[in-house]
Amino acid sequence: MSNQNNKINNYSIADDLINLIIFLAVAIIIGYLINNLVYSILIFLSIFIIYILYSNYIFERWVLNYKNNKSIKYHQKHQYLVSVLNKSFEEFVTIKLKFNVLEKRFKELSASMPDAVVVVDNNFVTEWYNDAAIKMLSLKNVDIGRPILHLIRNPNFTKFINTKERDAHVNFTSPLKYDVTIKSFLVPYGEDRYLLTFRDVSESDHLDNMRRDFVANVSHELKTPLTVIFGYLETISLSDNKNVDQSILDQMLKQAKRMDIMISDLLKLTKLQTTNIPEKNFSPINLKNLVNELMLACKQKSNKNKNNIKILTNDDIYIRGSYEEIYSAFLNLLLNAIMYSGKGVTIEINYFVTHSKETIFSIKDYGVGVPLDSINRLTERFYRVDKGRSREQGGTGLGLSIVKHIMNRHEGKLEVESIIGEGSNFSCVFPKSLLAMRSSKSTSDV
Ligand code: ADP
């Protein structure tokens, strides 16, 4: 492109220079003939300037009227510029045609999409929306240029937008119909824009609720007869009845106990999924004290398994949360490390606050580890890496699913790192908002 420009400039300047030299030569000759060189040069230079101005004027006229009137003439010296402009204009027309076709296709596509799509800028001001957004969110022309939070008023959606989490999603009740659930995704797009998509997920949400209710009802219904059976089995086991084989009775008791734990875990999971913890149930939890209680709770099991449990910190760090839930999540992780990492394995408990004020509580073991393809599945219901070992240990496969839900309820997350043969690290990450207090008196290993 710059080459082409140089060519244009050189050409025009060369053309004008030749003309100037001719004009000057004629002026000098005539100046000598009439014996007044200065006068002659002045006259010829004035004529030359008028010639340049005039040729520029007709070129400008040609450029300005080019689109509407092709018959307008231009000066020969601008021939090259004109051909370049003609070529650029033709290219522009072709690009515009292609753009028009693409724009038409995009509009047809977005109109036929069942999902509502809204483009917002960096400040979440609405820039564009498709036809489905008119129906689903009742957006109108006047809404262009208005913040999306003024158009969709819902606490969950507002929180979702304010966190600006990339590629995240949220479910919220439609602002127009209370029985419609909308799932919205936030996708960064371009340099400073976001694409918000909205999908009606009422049906799958309804099925999900039905499934959850079904599991909750079945678990609830099974709980009562099981408690009765369990009670009788215990009574028989304690009596001196010689007619019953004790080993069979022990097996029955063991299995009844497993079922009881499983039903309790299922009910716990359903409760965690279907209810929110009210903030009033949050209390400051001193992680140092909590770790001491965890150590007491699993002392027997860890002694039996010959684990060496190290506590890597002694800090007084307080987080806000439901004591009962957090205790149960941490205990589950510690018991897992004892039960599944292997005999005599070293386990490290640590907690600290990061630069971004997140609190991390981790349980690390140097045991068998978890295969890479299982790591992402650990929090699925009933997923076990080693089914036999888990059953033998009395595991239900629901523990990590419960931990995940507890962390979600605290707006935190569970992160798992594991290398087979080297060990696993399970970290609970709590958001900045839950850090209550922190005083690091000493940070030496215990
Ligand atoms: P369970 O109730 O069976 O303990 P969890 O959901 O707590 O279920 O754990 C799921 C599976 O993850 C366990 O069955 C076990 O195979 C594996 N697992 C959990 N923690 C560890 C660990 N620290 N090391 C190795 N495997 C683990």
Side-chain angles (χ1 to χ4, degrees):
M1 188 71 198
S2 69
N3 259 349
Q4 219 174 36
N5 278 341
N6 283 342
K7 212 169 159 191
I8 296 164
N9 290 336
N10 289 346
Y11 184 86
S12 303
I13 289 171
D15 199 30
D16 287 342
L17 263 178
I18 292 167
N19 285 338
L20 181 64
I21 291 166
I22 294 170
F23 264 72
L24 275 177
V26 174
I28 291 167
I29 293 166
I30 294 180
Y32 271 115
L33 287 179
I34 60 169
N35 217 5
N36 197 337
L37 195 58
V38 176
Y39 187 63
S40 165
I41 287 176
L42 270 177
I43 290 179
F44 272 90
L45 273 183
S46 305
I47 296 170
F48 182 73
I49 289 168
I50 292 167
Y51 156 76
I52 294 280
L53 288 177
Y54 179 70
S55 66
N56 281 353
Y57 159 73
I58 58 168
F59 181 64
E60 190 180 309
R61 209 168 54 128
W62 178 84
V63 171
L64 293 177
N65 294 290
Y66 173 76
K67 241 173 91 180
N68 308 324
N69 189 354
K70 295 253 179 335
S71 64
I72 289 182
K73 293 271 175 288
Y74 49 85
H75 195 279
Q76 201 51 32
K77 75 170 185 147
H78 289 126
Q79 171 70 44
Y80 185 72
L81 273 180
V82 166
S83 69
V84 171
L85 276 174
N86 269 335
K87 202 163 164 259
S88 306
F89 186 74
E90 275 162 23
E91 278 171 6
F92 169 74
V93 171
T94 330
I95 290 171
K96 202 175 166 217
L97 278 175
K98 278 189 193 159
F99 177 77
N100 285 348
V101 173
L102 280 177
E103 193 191 13
K104 194 169 162 247
R105 265 197 219 148
F106 176 72
K107 280 188 177 156
E108 281 167 2
L109 188 84
S110 69
S112 60
M113 262 171 78
D115 292 355
V117 181
V118 179
V119 174
V120 290
D121 69 9
N122 214 12
N123 298 315
F124 291 96
V125 169
T126 312
E127 287 192 341
W128 178 88
Y129 56 81
N130 70 347
D131 291 357
I134 304 174
K135 229 162 89 185
M136 196 185 291
L137 305 165
S138 182
L139 296 190
K140 299 174 204 73
N141 267 347
V142 287
D143 294 331
I144 300 279
R146 292 178 63 193
I148 191 74
L149 289 179
H150 290 190
L151 310 174
I152 302 169
R153 291 179 191 270
N154 178 282
N156 285 355
F157 183 71
T158 305
K159 203 164 156 194
F160 167 68
I161 290 293
N162 287 336
T163 52
K164 280 193 184 182
E165 204 182 316
R166 288 165 158 258
D167 300 317
H169 63 86
V170 71
N171 279 18
F172 63 96
T173 309
S174 159
L176 307 176
K177 289 182 195 155
Y178 72 92
D179 57 343
V180 170
T181 308
I182 294 175
K183 185 182 206 129
S184 176
F185 282 90
L186 179 69
V187 188
Y189 133 76
E191 283 209 338
D192 51 359
R193 278 185 175 69
Y194 292 93
L195 198 72
L196 274 164
T197 61
F198 301 86
R199 175 172 292 181
D200 182 344
V201 289
S202 315
E203 207 168 315
S204 66
D205 202 46
H206 181 63
L207 283 175
D208 228 32
N209 285 341
M210 269 171 57
R211 181 183 56 84
R212 225 175 277 155
D213 287 351
F214 175 75
V215 174
N217 290 338
V218 170
S219 313
H220 201 76
E221 291 301 322
L222 285 176
K223 184 97 186 149
T224 322
L226 192 69
T227 313
V228 176
I229 295 172
F230 199 50
Y232 281 128
L233 282 174
E234 269 184 331
T235 319
I236 301 171
S237 151
L238 291 173
S239 72
D240 292 333
N241 194 339
K242 299 275 181 309
N243 297 331
V244 187
D245 185 333
Q246 193 59 37
S247 63
I248 294 176
L249 203 62
D250 286 348
Q251 264 305 312
M252 287 169 81
L253 262 171
K254 193 177 163 194
Q255 294 306 326
K257 193 158 188 202
R258 268 198 67 206
M259 262 180 94
D260 190 50
I261 296 174
M262 197 173 289
I263 288 170
S264 300
D265 275 0
L266 272 174
L267 286 171
K268 197 173 184 179
L269 197 57
T270 313
K271 194 175 152 217
L272 291 173
Q273 283 179 317
T274 48
T275 57
N276 287 326
I277 349 173
E279 281 265 332
K280 67 175 168 46
N281 286 1
F282 276 17
S283 56
I285 304 166
N286 184 343
L287 293 181
K288 186 172 149 184
N289 295 345
L290 183 60
V291 169
N292 290 337
E293 291 195 32
L294 293 173
M295 292 294 283
L296 273 180
C298 62
K299 197 171 174 187
Q300 212 187 350
K301 281 206 162 120
S302 65
N303 282 346
K304 197 173 156 206
N305 208 38
K306 299 195 170 44
N307 292 109
N308 174 19
I309 304 186
K310 292 181 182 170
I311 306 165
L312 300 189
T313 177
N314 195 23
D315 290 357
D316 280 305
I317 294 175
Y318 290 77
I319 54 165
R320 283 185 326 105
S322 153
Y323 185 87
E324 194 195 333
E325 289 187 13
I326 289 179
Y327 172 80
S328 129
F330 291 178
L331 184 63
N332 197 298
L333 294 179
L334 188 54
L335 287 176
N336 275 359
I338 295 170
M339 290 191 303
Y340 302 121
S341 65
K343 253 199 172 1
V345 162
T346 299
I347 296 169
E348 291 171 354
I349 303 179
N350 198 8
Y351 55 89
F352 55 92
V353 177
T354 65
H355 286 303
S356 52
K357 301 270 189 300
E358 283 179 330
T359 309
I360 303 203
F361 179 93
S362 68
I363 302 224
K364 184 173 180 169
D365 68 65
Y366 293 87
V368 292
V370 176
L372 196 63
D373 54 347
S374 293
I375 293 181
N376 287 338
R377 303 195 57 194
L378 286 180
T379 55
E380 283 175 21
R381 289 167 178 223
F382 300 113
Y383 186 82
R384 290 132 163 157
V385 181
D386 181 342
K387 284 196 172 60
R389 190 172 162 79
S390 170
R391 281 211 190 96
E392 189 190 304
Q393 300 284 356
T396 58
L398 293 169
L400 290 177
S401 185
I402 291 175
V403 176
K404 185 180 106 176
H405 279 97
I406 291 176
M407 290 312 295
N408 284 351
R409 282 156 71 86
H410 286 81
E411 288 173 8
K413 55 186 179 224
L414 172 68
E415 289 179 350
V416 187
E417 289 163 333
S418 189
I419 299 176
I420 199 94
E422 290 187 19
S424 316
N425 188 15
F426 289 79
S427 306
C428 296
V429 184
F430 294 90
K432 182 180 166 185
S433 56
L434 292 189
L435 176 64
M437 212 173 81
R438 161 197 192 189
S439 73
S440 43
K441 281 181 240 149
S442 113
T443 52
S444 58
D445 289 5
V446 175

